[in-house]
Amino acid sequence: MPISEKYPENVPWDLNIDQSNNNSIKWILSKADIVYTFTRSRINNRYVYVQKNDGRRKAVKEYEARFTYQRLFDEGYSLAAFS
């Protein structure tokens, strides 16, 4: 029987910050030497770019980014935001 994961409702990019500024904010989760960067797409707000360390940025659907963010946060990654 598979365990279903609860949909993450509270992620940083949901905050009602000035929407013109919101697309340039980077949310960073870090733990030791591993860093994940999340940036909302400027073209289509249904996508979020996710980048691990200096690797390639990957556009993922917003709901996939939510689950990735929540899993990392649950694993003990610390959050920071930069604009």
Side-chain angles (χ1 to χ4, degrees):
M1 178 173 174
I3 298 173
S4 62
E5 223 173 329
K6 185 178 179 221
Y7 184 75
E9 294 183 17
N10 297 317
V11 292
W13 52 87
D14 284 344
L15 298 176
N16 288 329
I17 302 172
D18 178 20
Q19 292 299 318
S20 61
N21 241 0
N22 197 19
N23 290 335
S24 63
I25 297 174
K26 294 180 182 180
W27 294 276
I28 298 170
L29 287 174
S30 63
K31 181 177 174 183
D33 292 337
I34 303 172
V35 176
Y36 285 88
T37 305
F38 295 80
T39 311
R40 187 178 281 285
S41 171
R42 293 181 184 190
I43 299 169
N44 185 339
N45 68 355
R46 287 187 261 165
Y47 288 90
V48 174
Y49 292 108
V50 180
Q51 181 179 3
K52 181 179 178 182
N53 293 334
D54 291 328
R56 191 164 182 244
R57 273 190 339 165
K58 181 180 176 184
V60 297
K61 292 189 177 182
E62 199 268 344
Y63 74 89
E64 292 177 63
R66 284 177 175 273
F67 282 107
T68 301
Y69 171 85
Q70 188 63 52
R71 288 179 194 130
L72 292 169
F73 192 78
D74 290 345
E75 287 180 20
Y77 282 76
S78 299
L79 174 65
F82 294 94
S83 55

